[in-house]
Structure formats: structure tokens, C-alpha cells
Amino acid sequence: MTDYFEIHERDGAARVGELRLSSPVTTPALVDDILEDAGSLWSADRDVPEGDDSRLTVLPHRAFPGGTPEEVQESFAVDYPDVDYPSVAVVSSEQADNHGTDAYALSNGQSVMGHGAALVEAVVSVREAIPADTAVLFSGVATPRNVAVLAYAGVDLFDETAAVVKGTEGRYLTTDEAYFLEDLEELPCSCPACRQPREEFTREDCAEHNVNALEAELAIVRRRIRDGRLRDYVEGQARQDQWLTAAMRELDSQWGYLEKRTPILRDAQISAATADTLRRVEIQRFADRVTTRYRNRFKNPLVLVPCSAAKPYSESQSHRQFHDAIQWRAHLVSMTSPIGVVPQELETTYPAQHYDTVVTGRWSEDEKQFVSAVLERYLERNEYPKIVAHVPDEGYRDIVERVEESLDLEITYTVPEGGHPTADESLANLSEALSGELKYSKREREHNTVRAIADYLLGDGAGDDLFEDIQTTSRYPKIQVRDPDDTQLATMVPQYGTLSFTLEGAKRWLESDAPVKRVEIDGFVPHGSVLAPGVVDADEEIRVGDEVLVEGPQAFAVGRAEMFGREMAESTRGIACEVRHVEEK
């Protein structure tokens, strides 16, 4: 826990924070001008420095390079003193621990550079071992090309060392390459160091340019984190070096680390421009919840349809035509890359209406494999009396046929070979395939939507536990949920496809068998925000954006999480959750 570092914005493992020095520093950032090293204990005994709040002081330390045996590290471990100024402890990824400092410098950072798996393992090990509200410092490694990936992995602080060294060696750094200075006919930059004739540009100028380029890249990274779109940027930037691409993909495989730090909802749109989008936490989490939590409650046939460019799908011209043909006689499920399958009840739930993808009419094999795997898991969990595939040839039909064969199903296809789903013949076939089927009511549709969202957000079965006996008012997608006595329990939030509970709804949630996401607070009555210092404990399963119950000796409240569970419990600064309704005990 720290008094001198506060996190303001989060985007997965990346954070925009503030070093609360006498002159505050916004992170991710270079810290050369504010970093003071008290020295290594390998060379001499060192006194604990006086320190002050104008700089970040690295306490006397012993640094262990990569490959140092654990027994050596244990034998020469340092007991860091408790100081009252901004401080840094030096740790290795193998022996990282909480030393009560504000930041942690990785001693073996240089040894893991160039190896994706080693880098991710090192960062994850350190971040999981230290308090959630402390900073991570990587020294001697940052360049304009790699710093976005390092920040995405969870590194907060950097220095100029690598950029300066490469500049004095005559290496001109950009976000995509390191050029030998003598190979440049002109300078591809307009920073202050580069505003001179090429023939007058020296290696000292080159070092200055490299630092300028690094600072500019960090500014882009901070902006992307604030926008919630760092991953979109990293998917492109990681392509500049194979090991950076490997690091990004290795980080995707660290589900436990990345998933709990990734919000369940956000305003930013996902740009699905590369195959790596399929591995994003938001995509994998949606697919996982749809195939393990969602349960179809309709007794009608299933109709599989292609997605649409317009979101939510039901507002698109093509889906309106599908609905005109179906007439509420079937349950509609959309197939899409990169999301997988989207039941009609979850069409507004993040990220189902928050993505944009490249439309070429051709599916890659990765996309086919992902969507077919999700569809197969979905159909294994949900039974239908009949399955109709109203899909075109390109990609969609191939996916459905793979699942049909794998699960030994009998599926009716209503789009002729080479035809289009919105063609008159196709729509007529769809209507005919549902001939004799009974319509389900608006009431059933709305009730099932509320229950499906509750399942998705809270866990398998939560919808029935919470909303077995309800009535709904208002128009979709702004459904209000009420009990039989007309007491409002929750409201559907169309922007994110989530549920916002009232106090009565929160009490029902607490009394139900549905998994509860609880924040325990100290003896005060919160109004507006619950700050982290007031949190006594929080459920590990809480994610940013989750609906949470807030309880303390003096209050009961409901609101939305602004930190993940462990971060709430460990942090000494920042907003843990925003309270919507509160009741004083």
C-alpha cells in the first residue's frame, strides 16, 4: 500500500496513475528527473537516505540479475526500512514481495527482454506479489517500439537509458524500427532535435531525438488507456517486432492475471482488425459466459442468423427483415466474428454491441474455428426442438455444418446455395420452416431477457433465483423490473446491456442463492463514492463495472465497482465503487 501512487484510469493491466510528489507525475512515464538511487549494498554499506517528497528514492538494495539461484537471493535478501517519503524497492521476479514501498524496480528486467514468455512471466509475478496500488519500474529497456507493450503488460515507470545509449551508438529509434544514423538520407521526425539539416545531426542529437520519441509514445499510451483502447493500439504496435507479438499473445494466455483487471463493460468500441482480437479478454469472457452461464428459456425453435454492421442487431435493416419472417415464432441467435454467438437477449450486452470488424465476405480459418467451437458449446448446453440456419454460404454455413456433423444434429437450411439471407426466396423459406410454430409473448421475451442478463452478469441460475416472479414495464431496451407488488427491483441499462439494482433489488439479491458480489466497508454512510481506504474487504470475483452490494455497520448500499476485488481491499487511494442507492442502518 502506498501514500504516493494513485491509479486514476485502468485498461486491463495498464494504468494511468499519479506519482504524488511535490510536482506530480502522470504515469506511465519516464522518471529519470525524479529518481534518486541510494546505491547498491553489494559494493558498500549504505545509510538509509533522508529522502523527501520531491523525488522517488530507490532504497539501498542488492540487485539480482536473471538466473541468480534462489538460495543466493534468499541469503542476501534486503530488509527494506519503513520510510515516510516516496520509495522504491529493488526486487527480482522470482523473489518479489511486499516491502511497503510505493514502487518496485525489477532487477532482472533486461534479461527478459527479447523473450515474450519470459517478459510476461516476470511482470505477472511481480504484479501479483506486490500490492495492487503500487507501481512497477523497468530500467534500461524502454524504447519507442516496445514501451506500449510493456505498459499493456502492467509496467508503469521507465527511464531513458536504452534510448540514450542507442542514440550515442548512432541508432535512430522510431516506433517501428531502429535505423543506423548513417543510413538515413533525411530525418523522419519533426521533434526539436530533428529540426536541423541532416548533415548537422549528431549522435548527441540522436540521443535527444530517441528520448523525445519515447516520451511521445508514452503520451499516446496514456491517451489510449484513458480511452480504453490500448489493446487496439498494441495489436498493431506489437507487429513491429516478433517477440513483442509473442509477448502480447503470451499475456492473453495469462487469463487469471488479465481477466480480473479487465472491465466487464466500457464505452470504447473494440476494433476487430486482426486475428489477435479473438484472444482478447472481453471476447473470450463473453464466449465463456454465454456457453457456461446463459440458458435458453424459450421452447421455440432456434434460428441462427448472420450478424449485422448496425448494433444492436435488432435495429439493422437485415434483422428487421428476419424478424418480419420469424414473427416471434423462434429464438434468434446471431453468429459473428469476433464475438462468437449472441442470443437475442444479450444483443446489447458488452461487447456484443460495442465492436466493429473488417468486412471482406471471407472468413479466416481462425475465425471459423473460434465461432464453431463457441456454437458447439452453446448447442451442447441448450436444447431446441428444431434448428434452422438462415445463413449465407460464405463462412457461416461452413461453421454450422461443422457443428452439425460434430454433434450429429439435423439442421434446416433456408438460404439457397449462392443466395442472400434477405432475398425474398430466403425469407419465404425461413417463414415456411417455422410454419405452425406458436409465437411467444412480449412478456415472455422481456422476462427472459432480464433473466438472461442476470445469468450472464452474476452466474448460472441467477436469473431464476432473482427474477422468478416479476413484472416488466417500460419499453425494451429500457426495461424496468418490478416485483408482484409493483416495487422496482432493477432497470436494464441499454448502453451496456446490464442491470442496475435498486435497494429493494439489492436486498432480494442478498437473500437469493445467486452469487453475491459484496464490498465490506467501515463504519460510515457512503454518499456518491466509496473510497478505497474505507473498504475493509471485497469479494475476489468483483470486476470493474460489476454491480456490487456495499455493507457496513452503519449502511447498506448498491453501486458499481471501479476497482477489481483485490485492488479494493489493498488500495489506500482512489474510488473503489460508486454508490447509487444507500440506506442508513
Side-chain angles (χ1 to χ4, degrees):
M1 294 187 286
T2 173
D3 291 326
Y4 295 99
F5 182 61
E6 181 176 348
I7 301 161
H8 295 303
E9 304 281 351
R10 298 161 181 82
D11 187 3
R15 300 95 62 89
V16 169
E18 179 186 3
L19 280 174
R20 300 172 62 87
L21 309 181
S22 54
S23 296
V25 176
T26 301
T27 67
L30 300 177
V31 292
D32 302 76
D33 293 342
I34 58 168
L35 199 66
E36 183 167 312
D37 191 347
S40 172
L41 293 170
W42 288 120
S43 57
D45 291 334
R46 309 279 181 178
D47 293 330
V48 177
E50 293 183 4
D52 60 58
D53 63 4
S54 68
R55 55 188 184 265
L56 194 58
T57 301
V58 181
L59 298 174
H61 57 275
R62 292 191 182 95
F64 299 102
T68 303
E70 288 191 21
E71 57 269 23
V72 174
Q73 297 191 42
E74 292 172 0
S75 298
F76 292 95
V78 175
D79 290 326
Y80 287 98
D82 185 13
V83 296
D84 59 358
Y85 51 78
S87 59
V88 182
V90 178
V91 299
S92 72
S93 58
E94 297 95 342
Q95 295 290 319
D97 200 0
N98 179 11
H99 296 292
T101 56
D102 306 286
Y104 293 81
L106 191 66
S107 64
N108 59 324
Q110 294 190 26
S111 66
V112 299
M113 297 300 287
H115 191 291
L119 169 68
V120 171
E121 182 181 357
V123 176
V124 170
S125 296
V126 172
R127 282 286 300 272
E128 294 285 43
I130 64 177
D133 64 341
T134 52
V136 174
L137 166 64
F138 264 38
S139 179
V141 300
T143 67
R145 183 159 57 174
N146 67 30
V147 75
V149 174
L150 292 174
Y152 178 68
V155 184
D156 307 283
L157 309 175
F158 308 91
D159 64 16
E160 304 171 356
T161 304
V164 171
V165 168
K166 290 181 183 297
T168 57
E169 293 173 346
R171 301 297 296 272
Y172 186 97
L173 304 183
T174 68
T175 56
D176 62 350
E177 192 54 87
Y179 297 96
F180 285 108
L181 195 54
E182 55 267 27
D183 293 337
L184 291 177
E185 293 82 9
E186 58 180 316
L187 302 174
C189 174
S190 59
C191 77
C194 296
R195 293 174 190 165
Q196 58 181 301
R198 166 65 188 89
E199 58 272 14
E200 297 178 11
F201 191 80
T202 66
R203 292 193 174 195
E204 289 74 19
D205 296 324
C206 188
E208 182 183 345
H209 154 78
N210 288 351
V211 173
N212 291 340
L214 181 54
E215 288 181 330
E217 182 70 355
L218 282 168
I220 291 173
V221 168
R222 291 193 294 270
R223 182 67 260 165
R224 285 287 181 157
I225 295 172
R226 292 186 179 102
D227 293 340
R229 299 196 63 183
L230 180 59
R231 172 57 185 246
D232 295 342
Y233 183 69
V234 166
E235 284 188 16
Q237 187 56 29
R239 292 290 188 277
Q240 309 304 336
D241 206 319
Q242 292 177 336
W243 84 268
L244 293 174
T245 302
M248 180 185 67
R249 293 176 179 174
E250 185 65 28
L251 195 61
D252 288 342
S253 70
Q254 295 283 344
W255 175 257
Y257 172 73
L258 211 55
E259 189 275 332
K260 65 186 175 187
R261 291 172 167 82
T262 302
I264 66 159
L265 53 84
R266 64 175 97 198
D267 293 326
Q269 186 178 66
I270 292 174
S271 179
T274 76
D276 286 308
T277 303
L278 296 172
R279 288 181 279 272
R280 288 180 66 148
V281 166
E282 300 97 320
I283 303 300
Q284 293 291 330
R285 179 162 55 200
F286 187 87
D288 177 68
R289 291 190 177 190
V290 165
T291 55
T292 61
R293 296 184 177 189
Y294 170 85
R295 181 168 57 84
N296 168 51
R297 293 175 169 85
F298 295 99
K299 301 187 185 305
N300 303 67
L302 164 67
V303 173
L304 296 169
V305 297
C307 66
S308 66
K311 315 287 189 311
Y313 303 136
S314 61
E315 296 183 4
S316 69
Q317 183 177 352
S318 61
H319 277 240
R320 285 177 181 148
Q321 291 176 283
F322 300 157
H323 282 293
D324 287 343
I326 294 170
Q327 291 290 310
W328 309 113
R329 293 175 293 170
H331 180 226
L332 201 68
V333 172
S334 300
M335 299 169 54
T336 178
S337 175
I339 306 296
V341 300
V342 181
Q344 63 188 27
E345 306 97 301
L346 300 180
E347 68 165 1
T348 63
T349 299
Y350 182 87
Q353 69 163 337
H354 304 81
Y355 75 97
D356 196 11
T357 188
V358 177
V359 179
T360 64
R362 295 181 296 275
W363 289 61
S364 71
E365 183 57 29
D366 285 344
E367 291 175 307
K368 291 180 181 180
Q369 288 180 3
F370 173 70
V371 177
S372 61
V374 175
L375 178 59
E376 183 169 332
R377 296 201 306 270
Y378 178 87
L379 292 177
E380 286 176 329
R381 178 174 169 83
N382 296 285
E383 293 186 6
Y384 290 91
K386 182 179 182 179
I387 301 176
V388 176
H390 189 71
V391 295
D393 293 339
E394 299 87 358
Y396 291 100
R397 180 150 184 161
D398 184 15
I399 291 168
V400 175
E401 288 176 344
R402 292 183 188 190
V403 176
E404 180 181 28
E405 181 180 357
S406 177
L407 298 181
D408 193 23
L409 300 172
E410 184 176 334
I411 296 178
T412 301
Y413 296 89
T414 52
V415 178
E417 185 176 347
H420 194 276
T422 60
D424 290 344
E425 182 182 1
S426 300
L427 294 171
N429 291 342
L430 175 58
S431 181
E432 177 62 27
L434 300 174
S435 178
E437 298 292 342
L438 299 177
K439 296 182 180 181
Y440 52 81
S441 66
K442 175 185 175 184
R443 175 181 176 276
E444 183 180 2
R445 182 171 76 250
E446 291 184 345
H447 288 201
N448 285 351
T449 295
V450 169
R451 292 168 184 145
I453 293 173
D455 286 343
Y456 180 89
L457 294 174
L458 305 179
D460 186 15
D464 291 335
D465 289 336
L466 278 170
F467 302 123
E468 183 178 2
D469 55 336
I470 58 170
Q471 55 180 324
T472 52
T473 58
S474 298
R475 291 172 60 88
Y476 176 87
K478 298 180 180 179
I479 299 172
Q480 291 187 357
V481 187
R482 300 178 179 273
D483 68 11
D485 297 325
D486 204 36
T487 300
Q488 186 171 344
L489 304 174
T491 300
M492 182 178 168
V493 183
Q495 183 180 359
Y496 306 116
T498 186
L499 294 174
S500 174
F501 285 91
T502 64
L503 275 177
E504 290 303 316
K507 292 174 183 177
R508 177 183 277 223
W509 181 15
L510 187 62
E511 295 166 359
S512 75
D513 293 329
V516 175
K517 299 186 178 183
R518 191 192 319 260
V519 179
E520 182 184 349
I521 62 172
D522 219 331
F524 64 96
V525 179
H527 294 284
S529 302
V530 173
L531 301 180
V535 174
V536 176
D537 200 6
D539 288 344
E540 284 277 343
E541 297 305 310
I542 293 173
R543 303 290 179 261
V544 175
D546 267 333
E547 198 78 353
V548 292
L549 301 182
V550 181
E551 287 190 284
Q554 297 182 26
F556 175 78
V558 63
R560 196 168 297 282
E562 297 293 332
M563 296 178 176
F564 66 92
R566 177 192 153 202
E567 188 178 22
M568 286 186 187
E570 293 181 353
S571 296
T572 54
R573 290 189 176 276
I575 297 173
C577 58
E578 294 286 1
V579 167
R580 187 183 316 109
H581 306 289
V582 63
E583 179 179 83
E584 190 169 353
K585 292 184 178 179

